[in-house]
Amino acid sequence: MICTVTKSELNRSTFRTVFDFGDREVAHWFPGHMAKGLKQMRATVKNVDCILEVHDNIPVSGRNPLFQESLDVRPHLLVLNKMDLADLSAKNRILKQLQRDGVKNILFTDCLSQRDENVKKLVPMVIDLIQSNPRFHREEDTNFCLMVIGVPNVGKSSLINALRRTNLKKGRASKVGGEPGITKAVLTRIQVCERPIIHLLDTPGVLPPKIPSLETGMKLALCGTILDHLVGEDVIADYLLFSLNRLEKYSYVERYGLGEPTDDIQQVLKHIAVKLGKTQRVKAITGVGNITITVPNYPAAAYDFIRAFRKGELGQVILD
Ligand SMILES: Nc1nc2c(ncn2[C@@H]2O[C@H](COP(=O)(O)OP(=O)(O)OP(=O)(O)O)[C@@H](O)[C@H]2O)c(=O)[nH]1
C-alpha cells in the first residue's frame, strides 16, 4: 500500500502534544474579593426556589465543586451558554460526562441571539423543576425566586437580559461586560416573568473558579474568566494556538495568511501584526550606527488573537 503524507501533515506530526505551563502559580490568578460571593450565596439560597448555574465552553472542568458541596440543596438547572461558540459535535459526550457527575437538567443557550429557542424553554423547565420538588417554608409563596450563579464572564447578566427580553419584552436590566467580574456583589432582584411572577437574584453568584490544575486555569483564562494580565496574554495566546491545533481547528491558517498550520506562536503573531498593521518602529543600535526598524507589536497581536477566539471567529470549540 502506498501511503502519501503531505508536507503539512509531516509538519503537524512534530507539533507539541503537551503544553509546557512552566512553574506558574495559579493561586494568584483569582482576585480574593470574588470568593466573598460564596458566603453570601449560602445565606441567600434558602430564599431561592431554583438555581441556574451558567457555564460556557468549559462545561465540565469549569464547574466549581464548591457548588455541589454548599448550594446543591435546591432544584438546579445547568445552563451551557455561548453555544454559538461551541463545537456541538461534542454535545453528546459532554452531556454523558455531566450526567455521570449527577447533573440532570441541562439547557444549551446562545443569549446574544434574539431568536434562541432554548432561552424560551428555560421558564417552563424551571417551573416544572420547582413544582416537582418540595419548597419547604416557601410552599405558600406563589412567586418564584431563582438564583443565577457561575464563574465570571460566562454570560450570567446576558442570560438575565435574554430572559427579560423573551418573557417580558423588556430591555437590559443587567450590565454586560467583557471583563471578568463586572457583576458586582450586590443583591438585586430582577423580574424575568409575569405569569407566574419570577424574580432572579442577580449578581451574588460569582463563584471563584476552582483551579485544580494549570491546564484548567489556562482554559478558564482562554475563555476570559480570569483577567488576562494576571496570566499573561503571551502565554494565553500560545495555549490558544496549542488548543486549536490539538482540536484540529485550522481556520486561523487562512485568516492570517499562514500557508499551513504551525505550532510556533511567534510566527502566528508576526502574521497577525503585519496583517492588522500592528507594528512598532523601534531604534536598534548596530555596528554602523543607530537605525530604526519595524517590529511586530506582539502584545497587540496576542490580544487580537485571543479576542478573535472569544468571539468565535477562529471556529467553534469546546475546550473540555
Ligand atoms: N458569543 C456569545 N457571547 C456571549 C453570550 N452570552 C454572553 N456573551 C458575552 O460574554 C461576555 C460576558 O457576558 P456577561 O453577561 O457580562 O457575563 P457575566 O457572567 O455576567 O460576567 P461577570 O460579571 O464577569 O460575572 C460579554 O462580552 C457578552 O456579550 C453568548 O451566548 N454567546
Side-chain angles (χ1 to χ4, degrees):
M1 192 176 81
I2 301 169
C3 182
T4 31
V5 178
T6 63
K7 184 169 158 270
S8 171
E9 279 166 341
L10 203 61
N11 271 350
R12 270 180 263 164
S13 67
T14 62
F15 284 7
R16 293 167 289 181
T17 51
V18 284
F19 190 81
D20 178 8
F21 293 102
D23 53 2
R24 294 189 161 72
E25 185 52 84
V26 285
H28 306 301
W29 285 0
F30 215 75
H33 74 271
M34 290 187 189
K36 285 187 196 148
L38 190 62
K39 206 170 151 204
Q40 214 178 354
M41 280 186 265
R42 273 198 204 112
T44 315
V45 79
K46 54 182 177 299
N47 297 319
V48 162
D49 295 297
C50 181
I51 292 180
L52 303 180
E53 183 191 352
V54 188
H55 281 283
D56 57 6
N57 34 9
I58 353 175
V60 180
S61 59
R63 298 187 67 219
N64 188 328
L66 278 176
F67 164 76
Q68 277 95 329
E69 284 160 29
S70 50
L71 299 170
D72 203 7
V73 289
R74 287 287 182 267
H76 166 247
L77 177 64
L78 179 63
V79 179
L80 295 181
N81 189 36
K82 303 197 187 180
M83 283 303 118
D84 53 311
L85 304 183
D87 175 3
L88 290 178
S89 64
K91 190 171 168 179
N92 283 339
R93 177 177 59 80
I94 294 294
L95 280 175
K96 278 200 190 117
Q97 220 166 322
L98 288 167
Q99 276 155 2
R100 268 200 302 273
D101 290 348
V103 186
K104 291 187 230 65
N105 311 298
I106 304 167
L107 188 68
F108 291 83
T109 58
D110 166 6
C111 286
L112 297 191
S113 160
Q114 304 277 334
R115 290 182 298 276
D116 188 87
E117 287 302 316
N118 283 354
V119 172
K120 292 185 194 153
K121 289 183 196 157
L122 192 144
V123 164
M125 268 178 98
V126 159
I127 294 174
D128 246 26
L129 273 172
I130 296 175
Q131 287 175 342
S132 52
N133 280 280
R135 289 182 79 205
F136 308 106
H137 68 287
R138 300 183 49 76
E139 211 67 64
E140 305 292 303
D141 200 336
T142 50
N143 296 356
F144 296 148
C145 181
L146 319 180
M147 181 156 85
V148 182
I149 65 166
V151 298
N153 214 41
V154 287
K156 298 182 294 299
S157 302
S158 304
L159 174 68
I160 293 169
N161 292 333
L163 288 172
R164 280 173 61 82
R165 199 168 60 223
T166 312
N167 300 300
L168 294 176
K169 312 287 174 246
K170 288 262 167 57
R172 267 183 189 184
S174 224
K175 193 167 180 230
V176 173
E179 289 269 279
I182 198 109
T183 310
K184 296 289 175 300
V186 184
L187 261 157
T188 339
R189 277 164 67 89
I190 299 175
Q191 189 176 352
V192 290
C193 189
E194 188 61 44
R195 270 193 226 152
I197 292 180
I198 302 181
H199 282 101
L200 271 168
L201 295 178
D202 182 22
T203 61
V206 181
L207 280 174
K210 167 98 177 153
I211 310 180
S213 66
L214 276 161
E215 173 112 49
T216 302
M218 206 59 84
K219 285 181 191 173
L220 288 160
L222 194 46
C223 290
T225 303
I226 300 167
L227 287 170
D228 292 342
H229 69 264
L230 295 178
V231 182
E233 279 167 347
D234 52 342
V235 68
I236 301 176
D238 193 20
Y239 184 70
L240 169 57
L241 179 64
F242 169 79
S243 302
L244 292 174
N245 287 332
R246 176 176 64 86
L247 297 164
E248 301 183 351
K249 301 277 177 185
Y250 298 123
S251 70
Y252 72 88
V253 174
E254 201 186 324
R255 181 181 169 96
Y256 299 122
L258 279 154
E260 62 177 356
T262 172
D263 200 20
D264 177 356
I265 188 63
Q266 298 295 322
Q267 194 193 349
V268 175
L269 296 183
K270 213 179 287 173
H271 273 75
I272 297 176
V274 171
K275 193 174 158 86
L276 303 177
K278 292 186 191 292
T279 51
Q280 289 168 313
R281 290 179 66 73
V282 294
K283 276 216 174 87
I285 303 163
T286 69
V288 288
N290 292 358
I291 54 164
T292 306
I293 52 169
T294 303
V295 294
N297 182 342
Y298 286 109
Y303 181 84
D304 199 86
F305 190 39
I306 299 165
R307 288 298 167 284
F309 168 74
R310 289 182 188 155
K311 281 195 245 152
E313 291 168 5
L314 301 180
Q316 294 173 310
V317 169
I318 286 192
L319 290 168
D320 271 330

